[in-house]
Amino acid sequence: MHKAADEAQQSLHMPIAVDHVAEPHLTGTVLVRPDGVIAWRTVQGAARELTDALLRLLCREP
Amino acid sequence: MTATSAWCTSTPNLLGFFRFSITGDSGFLAMFSTIAPDGTRDTRVGDDVSTERCIELVRTALGCAPDHPVEIENVQQWSASAVTAESLSSGRVFLAGDAAHVMPPTGGFGGNTGVADAHNLAWKLALVTKGLAGPGLLASYDEERRPAGALTVEQAYTRYVLRVDPSLPQDDLQPPLDDASIELGAVYRSGAVLGEADVATPLDDPRGHSWAPGTRVPHVPLSAGRSTLDVPATVSRS
Ligand SMILES: Cc1cc2nc3c(=O)[nH]c(=O)nc-3n(C[C@H](O)[C@H](O)[C@H](O)COP(=O)(O)OP(=O)(O)OC[C@H]3O[C@@H](n4cnc5c(N)ncnc54)[C@H](O)[C@@H]3O)c2cc1C
């Protein structure tokens, strides 16, 4: 897992769904809490298209 | 749970709203005020809740004939308040719902805000009691839900003043915000969120895709009728 995500998860003191995406044009890591709230992310200021693509990748969708 | 639809009623004589079950065979009339011929509004509707008076109010609100059959099954009294508790937790005790915040029904936010409290608290309690998260996680309940509740109380009050009783104090009246953002767009800042939410407003439009820490994962349609909102409960740690 992404080292920064690991550290973030430890500092939050809770298990959170974590995933890391690495694609040629896209890289990012998100921590999503069980209630669907974004607890942390590495994708900064992403455009809507980018975040949608990231979400689909996270969800293993084509 | 019964699905209902709301129907506002505003006649020259009264201000209120109906809530009917989708099947249309039951419902209730919530009364805000009667209106005197000179336009004066009187919110003390509860002073007379005799069956005759209630039937008269229902007929007036419906705008139906004076002999239209109406049966009163139950009468409940309520008062419009706008208050948020100073703290939502103390030791092992947590306040949620109307125990944490009461607001006028204008906007229909009260029950929804209570559900959001429970949604926020339940998983935290579960993780802590199972030993999967530290007790510090529970502190984030008050940090996250009290500001959200207080904002919603203010918004309900604004709607009450503007729609029902303009004679109430308006000095600190908050400007009305978007309904969907109030219900689903709380931006949480707490120990259970890392990094500043990079949204300037206190609410995040749930139809947008800000993707800021402290906001909900945006809805993006997936295959087979699924949404990204279905995913957090099922994604496992990679
Ligand atoms: C006219 C009107 C219209 C509304 N319309 C809407 C709407 O459209 N949408 C919306 O979201 N919200 C609406 N609300 C608000 C909503 O009804 C409340 O926010 C919601 O019911 C609060 O739920 P609760 O479980 O927190 O509290 P409550 O519903 O008050 O439940 C508390 C329960 O605890 C019980 N209780 C109290 N003391 C004790 C005790 N000592 N021991 C055991 N039990 C006890 C009570 O009997 C009650 O059953 C409306 C409110 C009103 C008055």
Side-chain angles (χ1 to χ4, degrees):
Chain A
M1 196 202 305
H2 195 284
K3 184 169 174 288
D6 211 7
E7 287 169 7
Q9 180 155 21
Q10 280 173 22
S11 73
L12 283 163
H13 301 294
M14 58 175 159
I16 304 181
V18 180
D19 217 329
H20 178 60
V21 174
E23 291 289 305
H25 307 292
L26 179 68
T27 184
T29 303
V30 280
L31 303 190
V32 180
R33 308 189 329 186
D35 59 355
V37 168
I38 296 160
W40 184 80
R41 67 168 187 182
T42 57
V43 183
Q44 297 294 331
R48 176 181 174 142
E49 294 71 30
L50 184 66
T51 57
D52 288 2
L54 176 59
L55 278 167
R56 287 204 177 84
L57 280 166
L58 287 171
C59 302
R60 307 277 181 257
E61 293 273 332
Chain B
M1 184 181 287
T2 311
T4 58
S5 64
W7 179 36
C8 289
T9 173
S10 179
T11 75
N13 307 326
L14 63 82
L15 201 58
F17 63 92
F18 282 102
R19 265 203 184 281
F20 293 112
S21 66
I22 292 294
T23 49
D25 52 5
S26 65
F28 65 81
L29 168 65
M31 284 288 306
F32 285 127
S33 69
T34 53
I35 305 171
D38 68 355
T40 312
R41 295 181 183 187
D42 186 354
T43 54
R44 293 168 305 165
V45 188
D47 286 359
D48 179 4
V49 288
S50 63
T51 302
E52 298 70 35
R53 176 67 175 144
C54 289
I55 289 174
E56 183 190 338
L57 289 172
V58 171
R59 284 181 178 143
T60 306
L62 286 171
C64 62
D67 59 350
H68 189 83
V70 173
E71 184 186 343
I72 305 293
E73 292 179 353
N74 191 4
V75 180
Q76 294 185 1
Q77 302 224 24
W78 59 281
S79 56
S81 310
V83 185
T84 307
E86 288 175 7
S87 171
L88 302 198
S89 66
S90 176
R92 291 163 48 86
V93 178
F94 296 88
L95 298 182
D98 277 19
H101 35 66
V102 280
M103 59 194 83
T106 32
F109 300 135
N112 290 296
T113 312
V115 170
D117 293 340
H119 182 246
N120 187 283
L121 182 58
W123 67 273
K124 294 175 181 174
L125 279 175
L127 289 187
V128 173
T129 53
K130 287 177 185 164
L132 295 171
L137 179 60
L138 294 173
S140 68
Y141 172 66
D142 178 78
E143 291 171 345
E144 295 180 354
R145 289 308 303 163
R146 191 157 45 87
L151 182 146
T152 312
V153 166
E154 289 300 329
Q155 287 297 312
Y157 180 74
T158 292
R159 286 159 174 73
Y160 189 79
V161 171
L162 298 180
R163 296 177 193 169
V164 178
D165 194 351
S167 72
L168 288 167
Q170 301 199 20
D171 302 342
D172 296 325
L173 204 64
Q174 300 296 311
L177 300 172
D178 164 58
D179 281 26
S181 300
I182 294 168
E183 306 239 39
L184 295 168
V187 180
Y188 293 146
R189 295 177 173 88
S190 76
V193 174
L194 294 179
E196 281 298 301
D198 44 10
V199 283
T201 53
L203 297 173
D204 183 48
D205 189 332
R207 292 153 297 210
H209 289 235
S210 76
W211 251 67
T215 67
R216 278 164 36 115
V217 168
H219 161 70
V220 178
L222 302 173
S223 61
R226 291 169 71 237
S227 154
T228 45
L229 297 175
D230 301 328
V231 172
T234 54
V235 169
S236 61
R237 186 176 162 156
S238 63

